[in-house]
Amino acid sequence: MKTQLRHLIDDDVASLTAAANDRAISPSLRNGFPTPYTQSHAEYFITVASRKASDLVLAIIDSSTPTTILGIISLLRSKPADPTVLELGYWLNPRYWNQGIITRSIDQILHFKSPIIPTMFRAEALVSVTNIGSSKALIKNNFKRDALLRNHNEKDGERRSDCHLYSKTIDQNSPPDTAFVRGNFVHSKENGELEILMDHLMEIDLLSGCIVTFEPADVSTFSSLHYLYKSPTSSDFITPGFIDCHVHAPQYSFAGTATDRPLMGKEGWLESYTFPSERRLSDQNLATKTYSKVVKRLLREGTTTACYLATIHLNSSLILADQCEKFNQRALIGKVNMDQNSPPDYIETTEESLANTETFIKQIQGRDSFKNGNIFPVITPRFIPTCSKALLSGLGRLAKKYDTRVQSHISESVDEVAFVKSLGYEETDAEIFQNYGLLKNSIQAHGVWCSKDDLGLMKENNAGIACCPLSNVYFASGILDLNICEEVGVNVGLGTDVSGGYSPSMLNSQRTAVVTSRVSNFSKEKESIDYKKAFFLATLGSARTLHLEHLVGNFVIGKRFDAVCWSVEGGGGGVDVFDGDTPEDIVQKILTNGGREDIARVFVNGKDC
């Protein structure tokens, strides 16, 4: 429903009375409500307001049918001797209860720019103790309950009842509690289902970053709204922020190089590039510089949430959390665990690994950023070959003790699978992780060589796969079969796998997923994924894989506003728009040809990054 406030007109009393007596209102909603509703009831706000020319009384209307009165809302002089105290009053047709109309309207009128409203004032509201709905609306607008008034005379000539007194200090020079985003939105509701919402208005709670309302905009939208962002043209779009399920933060320093090496072996990628770069980050100054660059780079690319692997160093891993907090990126962060089959100068003892991992978990879970749903610890055995059975067992106990997520690499390459077998294991990677309590709710990278039974085991344990299309091509000697994953029902999200994947852009991960899917399904009777499914995997699919779908992934009321605002009209980036392009055409161009030059703004938790 599109709602707005407007000044009262002559026939509002009759319209309000008729609305209140609408026979379509169910009897259950009329509990405690005057029946019939008389004109004297409707006149209450208007007659009181008419006594003072400086009082503000507005009608809440449905802008699609302006004759429908949803309610009346007012600011009245409650204490004539004190012009800085205003009484908030409202009436709402019971048909529209529980639709957020009053909550939204209260915020609008409190921030209404008018010479009759003081720059700073105290708003007071009296609510009968039996009126639970009104109390909830006030509390949602951050009103505080000041007192219980016994046997209070609510209105002249009406019955007495116990009332709560609520109040809130309003400073017109300070930002309001909520702000709005207006533009064209596109998100996924399910796999492959792209929903495009043209010219919509979204309200954001600035304290929590949550989406409060989301509805079609109106050309006459209340003029005093405070905007976080308004799309400048009809060709611009707003998408959910991208969610990278697998990033090696310390490896960003050599991203774009080392594409000519195999994964393992004396001259391999791990020995030549990975381990040396990670070992150097025992230097905390270097760790700060490296991690600040990778976090800022991913945000510039539109990645609002990342699942990071750090190094074996406790303090440097905590620095990565510091940088994510500093630059306002949502992140899952793991201190890497390695106590065998590792370089002699980059290895831990089993006891050190477990003790430092527990300290890392407790320190992250003690932060406000964890309590607010922004930073999470992740238990991170690098992969089975670098972790002894004692270490795997201990990490499994920590995962259960602290109820935290687990991330690792699973059945990544032919070499890795053979390495695991050479250690005397008869089970697959998935079975080994399950045996040690490390499969449940885990995020497992690659999975190219997982069998269908392995995928079923992951499904049973609510484990997800971080599909990294670029690095799969370079190092896994194969391509993850997304059709089988979908058939089994295991959650899949996308990752860049920086630096095994040379690009930190989730757009490139989406495009590579589409291309490799076409190649792998060529001459097969399987459906290749398209840009819509790749977009799903990079947003809502990744949120489900990281067990964050309650917070992010698409635009749903109650979720956090993590978003990328795309502005393509200027032609400075990779997207050109032509007459005749449909909204879906433009979205596809953004996802296929767009880049960071087309990104105007990035938001995490409703805050500009």
Side-chain angles (χ1 to χ4, degrees):
M1 177 183 294
K2 297 178 290 185
T3 62
Q4 65 182 95
L5 305 185
R6 64 161 167 73
H7 290 282
L8 296 172
I9 57 178
D10 292 340
D11 62 353
D12 276 339
V13 172
S15 298
L16 185 59
T17 305
N21 290 319
D22 189 339
R23 294 183 179 180
I25 300 173
S26 66
S28 62
L29 290 178
R30 289 189 175 280
N31 184 28
F33 190 76
T35 304
Y37 197 82
T38 67
Q39 185 162 314
S40 63
H41 291 113
E43 287 175 342
Y44 169 68
F45 284 113
I46 298 171
T47 55
V48 171
S50 65
R51 299 172 190 165
K52 296 282 186 179
S54 59
D55 291 335
L56 181 68
V57 183
L58 300 174
I60 311 169
I61 64 167
D62 179 352
S63 55
S64 61
T65 57
T67 58
T68 300
I69 304 296
L70 308 183
I72 298 291
I73 191 163
S74 69
L75 280 176
L76 308 173
R77 301 289 182 194
S78 61
K79 298 179 181 179
D82 187 349
T84 63
V85 178
L86 302 179
E87 180 181 353
L88 174 71
Y90 57 86
W91 172 90
L92 183 69
N93 187 334
R95 172 190 274 194
Y96 305 105
W97 290 350
N98 301 319
Q99 294 186 24
I101 292 171
I102 277 295
T103 302
R104 190 181 328 154
S105 302
I106 288 173
D107 184 68
Q108 289 178 346
I109 197 170
L110 291 178
H111 292 93
F112 184 75
K113 303 296 184 183
S114 169
I116 67 173
I117 298 180
T119 301
M120 181 175 287
F121 65 95
R122 170 186 167 92
E124 295 184 342
L126 281 172
V127 176
S128 170
V129 294
T130 60
N131 190 343
I132 305 301
S134 291
S135 292
K136 287 182 177 180
L138 291 167
I139 291 170
K140 193 169 183 179
N141 269 277
N142 298 315
F143 274 73
K144 305 299 181 184
R145 188 167 61 190
D146 291 335
L148 172 63
L149 306 181
R150 295 289 186 184
N151 201 27
H152 182 76
N153 188 13
E154 289 185 274
K155 302 173 185 177
D156 293 339
E158 293 194 7
R159 64 182 178 83
R160 295 177 177 271
S161 65
D162 294 342
C163 292
H164 291 302
L165 174 64
Y166 289 89
S167 71
K168 179 181 180 180
T169 299
I170 305 296
D171 183 354
Q172 294 282 9
N173 293 323
S174 66
D177 298 326
T178 64
F180 291 80
V181 176
R182 183 171 179 174
N184 306 319
F185 295 80
V186 57
H187 67 165
S188 292
K189 300 186 74 173
E190 279 302 331
N191 196 351
E193 296 180 12
L194 201 67
E195 183 176 43
I196 298 175
L197 303 165
M198 301 299 290
D199 196 18
H200 269 55
L201 187 68
M202 180 182 289
E203 183 182 9
I204 314 298
D205 183 292
L206 295 178
L207 182 62
S208 67
C210 291
I211 300 170
V212 178
T213 61
F214 189 30
E215 61 188 11
D218 188 287
V219 293
S220 57
T221 299
F222 199 69
S223 60
S224 67
L225 295 185
H226 171 61
Y227 284 98
L228 280 179
Y229 181 79
K230 284 201 292 186
S231 294
T233 77
S234 60
S235 299
D236 296 334
F237 283 86
I238 302 169
T239 68
F242 295 133
I243 302 172
D244 191 335
C245 288
H246 191 69
V247 191
H248 291 267
Q251 296 176 20
Y252 178 63
S253 60
F254 64 92
T257 68
T259 59
D260 57 341
R261 302 293 180 96
L263 177 65
M264 305 181 74
K266 188 174 181 180
E267 300 297 324
W269 187 79
L270 288 172
E271 293 287 348
S272 302
Y273 288 92
T274 300
F275 293 149
S277 71
E278 293 187 12
R279 181 177 61 246
R280 286 192 291 270
L281 294 197
S282 61
D283 181 335
Q284 295 180 37
N285 290 328
L286 181 59
T288 300
K289 292 178 182 178
T290 301
Y291 291 150
S292 67
K293 287 185 178 181
V294 67
V295 171
K296 288 189 290 185
R297 168 60 61 187
L298 264 61
L299 283 168
R300 283 199 297 269
E301 299 286 349
T303 298
T304 54
T305 298
C307 187
Y308 286 114
L309 293 85
T311 66
I312 66 173
H313 311 108
L314 170 61
N315 290 333
S316 292
S317 299
L318 290 170
I319 287 173
L320 177 54
D322 295 339
Q323 296 305 304
C324 292
E325 290 176 343
K326 178 179 179 180
F327 297 109
N328 193 34
Q329 185 182 53
R330 196 180 312 281
L332 293 79
I333 301 170
K335 188 208 84 65
V336 172
N337 301 104
M338 300 164 56
D339 71 340
Q340 68 175 24
N341 296 317
S342 305
D345 56 355
Y346 188 56
I347 194 170
E348 310 166 285
T349 67
T350 305
E351 294 74 21
E352 287 173 339
S353 187
L354 291 174
N356 286 338
T357 297
E358 185 165 20
T359 299
F360 178 79
I361 293 170
K362 289 195 291 187
Q363 290 206 23
I364 295 296
Q365 290 187 345
R367 298 187 180 202
D368 289 339
S369 56
F370 170 76
K371 298 169 186 175
N372 295 334
N374 298 332
I375 306 291
F376 303 86
V378 190
I379 290 176
T380 308
R382 183 177 211 105
F383 62 162
I384 290 169
T386 59
C387 298
S388 67
K389 293 180 180 180
L391 180 55
L392 292 173
S393 180
L395 293 174
R397 290 193 296 270
L398 289 177
K400 182 176 181 180
K401 179 179 179 179
Y402 291 99
D403 189 27
T404 190
R405 297 167 177 81
V406 175
Q407 66 176 339
S408 190
H409 301 79
I410 191 168
S411 301
E412 175 178 358
S413 67
V414 174
D415 289 346
E416 185 269 336
V417 172
F419 197 171
V420 172
K421 294 297 182 185
S422 74
L423 297 176
Y425 288 105
E426 295 183 0
E427 306 94 333
T428 65
D429 284 9
E431 292 168 336
I432 295 167
F433 282 126
Q434 184 188 41
N435 292 341
Y436 289 103
L438 294 168
L439 190 62
K440 184 177 181 181
N441 297 329
S442 66
I443 305 120
Q444 300 289 350
H446 307 295
V448 171
W449 299 100
C450 283
S451 68
K452 195 170 184 178
D453 288 341
D454 289 334
L455 296 176
L457 192 60
M458 295 178 71
K459 165 67 175 175
E460 291 174 15
N461 284 273
N462 197 29
I465 294 179
C467 175
C468 306
L470 267 176
S471 59
N472 285 349
V473 171
Y474 274 101
F475 297 117
S477 303
I479 296 170
L480 180 66
D481 193 326
L482 294 168
N483 289 298
I484 292 180
C485 292
E486 186 174 352
E487 178 186 335
V488 173
V490 64
N491 286 327
V492 177
L494 286 185
T496 59
D497 196 21
V498 164
S499 174
Y502 57 79
S503 171
S505 167
M506 283 293 286
L507 285 172
N508 279 340
S509 290
Q510 294 172 65
R511 295 160 188 169
T512 307
V514 172
V515 171
T516 54
S517 172
R518 285 180 175 268
V519 172
S520 65
N521 292 324
F522 189 73
S523 77
K524 298 179 183 178
E525 293 184 0
K526 290 184 178 180
E527 180 182 353
S528 300
I529 74 166
D530 59 12
Y531 78 96
K532 297 178 184 179
K533 286 194 173 183
F535 176 71
F536 165 83
L537 293 175
T539 53
L540 185 56
S542 283
R544 289 176 177 171
T545 300
L546 299 182
H547 313 293
L548 292 176
E549 66 272 25
H550 63 294
L551 291 177
V552 292
N554 58 0
F555 297 129
V556 174
I557 291 174
K559 289 191 179 185
R560 308 293 178 85
F561 183 63
D562 290 10
V564 182
C565 303
W566 302 87
S567 184
V568 301
E569 190 67 24
V575 179
D576 286 310
V577 179
F578 295 87
D579 293 342
D581 281 346
T582 66
E584 187 169 323
D585 290 335
I586 299 172
V587 169
Q588 185 172 4
K589 285 184 175 185
I590 290 172
L591 297 177
T592 305
N593 291 330
R596 62 185 178 87
E597 297 84 359
D598 300 295
I599 296 176
R601 303 274 286 278
V602 176
F603 291 92
V604 178
N605 269 341
K607 295 180 175 61
D608 209 345
C609 295

